[in-house]
Amino acid sequence: MQYFEKSGEKMPLLGYGTFRASGSDCIKGVEMAIETGYRHIDTARAYGNEAEVGKGIKNSGIDRDQLFITSKIGASELKPKQIIKETESSLKNLQTEYLNLMLIHWPSEEIPLEKSLEALFELQDEGKIKAVGVSNFTTDLVEDAASVGEIFTNQVEYHPLLDQQKLLAVTRKHDILLTAYSPIAKGEVNEEQILQEIGEKYGKLPTQVTLRWLIQQDRVAAIPKSVTEKHIRSNFDIFDFELTEEEMEKIYTLQGDHRLVDPAWAPQWD
């Protein structure tokens, strides 16, 4: 496993995402992910599955200090008092005394970013949060956040079909990790010939080549989501090969503006 270290925290570059995972599927998925070897589990208040994630973690029997757990607070809950309340709810649902990382899930146009981040940093000082991050932040918003305090990551959509080089330049400037959600473009990478051909060389699927491409980049992590055993194990099976510089560059040629997540409340993307 490879890691990113900052703020005294060490985050595995490959994590298990739980977006739209619910009920027993979510519980079993988390258990299976931990059994497979994942040590980074990602959830959010908006997913409505923190309790199930917590049950999956508890059922796995793993020691808490072996896991890196991330959650997120929604844009409408970013007033300081709300942040405290939301964090307490996350801790209760996840059955833990602390979160390794708490993110602002989406930027808010109504609540001052500085006030929200200061509340999170206070929780960090109290030990309830080990690191503070953001999600779905543009380059300008990343700059704004970095001016307030130490930001661990910016979690955004990133895959071979979506160019994020401008954003990466800013996150790297501030030693901020970029965590890729929808890292396999909802399965669309399977249709790309370049990824198929590289995969054939290593005996790997296009999805595995994609995940390897992501975590081989400087300060990039990935959190693929699945609730099926086959895909959970397949997504984790990417540490027995390494892409050449030429192969990395070939994959970069696929980069475009193919954004899959763009809700009405999203910021004006770079």
Side-chain angles (χ1 to χ4, degrees):
M1 179 61 73
Q2 296 163 271
Y3 301 86
F4 174 76
E5 294 188 54
K6 188 175 181 178
S7 306
E9 288 298 290
K10 188 176 178 181
M11 188 180 99
L13 293 183
L14 184 68
Y16 178 67
T18 63
F19 178 56
R20 288 184 176 163
S22 61
S24 61
D25 283 345
C26 182
I27 296 170
K28 292 175 183 176
V30 170
E31 289 178 37
M32 200 177 305
I34 292 172
E35 179 197 342
T36 298
Y38 292 85
R39 294 296 179 263
H40 167 193
I41 309 295
D42 181 275
T43 183
R45 300 288 297 147
Y47 297 173
N49 64 9
E50 285 180 330
E52 287 78 7
V53 170
K55 287 178 184 177
I57 290 170
K58 184 176 182 180
N59 291 349
S60 76
I62 195 169
D63 290 340
R64 174 64 183 89
D65 62 5
Q66 297 299 304
L67 286 181
F68 189 102
I69 304 175
T70 300
S71 194
K72 315 175 193 74
I73 297 173
S76 63
E77 310 293 335
L78 292 176
K79 292 180 180 178
K81 288 184 179 180
Q82 292 174 311
I83 283 176
I84 294 169
K85 182 179 178 181
E86 292 293 297
T87 300
E88 293 293 348
S89 294
S90 288
L91 296 175
K92 181 179 179 180
N93 287 338
L94 290 162
Q95 302 181 56
T96 183
E97 294 182 355
Y98 65 93
L99 287 171
N100 298 87
L101 178 63
M102 181 65 96
L103 308 180
I104 291 175
H105 201 161
W106 289 90
S108 170
E109 294 183 351
E110 300 173 2
I111 303 169
L113 176 60
E114 184 176 359
K115 296 296 183 184
S116 301
L117 287 173
E118 285 175 352
L120 287 169
F121 288 131
E122 286 181 17
L123 288 167
Q124 184 179 23
D125 290 340
E126 294 172 11
K128 294 179 179 179
I129 295 170
K130 298 296 184 181
V132 174
V134 297
S135 182
N136 298 300
F137 271 39
T138 62
T139 54
D140 286 345
L141 287 169
V142 169
E143 293 280 11
D144 291 344
S147 72
V148 179
E150 191 168 76
I151 302 300
F152 191 92
T153 192
N154 182 23
Q155 186 180 122
V156 295
E157 180 181 349
Y158 183 37
H159 46 73
L161 310 180
L162 180 63
D163 188 346
Q164 290 283 26
Q165 295 310 304
K166 184 177 179 182
L167 185 58
L168 277 163
V170 174
T171 54
R172 287 169 179 156
K173 181 178 79 171
H174 294 288
D175 189 30
I176 294 172
L177 179 71
L178 188 148
T179 302
Y181 70 69
S182 296
I184 57 175
K186 299 183 179 180
E188 291 186 27
V189 296
N190 285 310
E191 307 304 316
E192 296 297 329
Q193 186 176 351
I194 287 174
L195 298 171
Q196 293 170 359
E197 291 174 354
I198 294 173
E200 287 173 8
K201 173 184 173 181
Y202 295 103
K204 296 293 181 180
L205 300 169
T207 51
Q208 294 170 313
V209 172
T210 294
L211 293 172
R212 184 71 216 182
W213 174 76
L214 286 164
I215 69 167
Q216 269 189 224
Q217 296 177 47
D218 179 33
R219 297 181 185 85
V220 175
I223 49 169
K225 173 257 175 177
S226 178
V227 293
T228 66
E229 180 176 2
K230 177 183 176 181
H231 291 142
I232 287 172
R233 297 192 187 283
S234 172
N235 289 341
F236 193 77
D237 187 21
I238 62 170
F239 297 102
D240 58 351
F241 75 109
E242 187 172 333
L243 299 173
T244 66
E245 286 187 26
E246 182 182 3
E247 289 163 345
M248 292 287 289
E249 290 301 321
K250 280 185 178 179
I251 298 172
Y252 278 118
T253 66
L254 298 173
Q255 297 271 271
D257 191 27
H258 190 54
R259 189 177 295 277
L260 301 173
V261 181
D262 193 16
W265 58 83
Q268 185 65 45
W269 304 112
D270 296 306

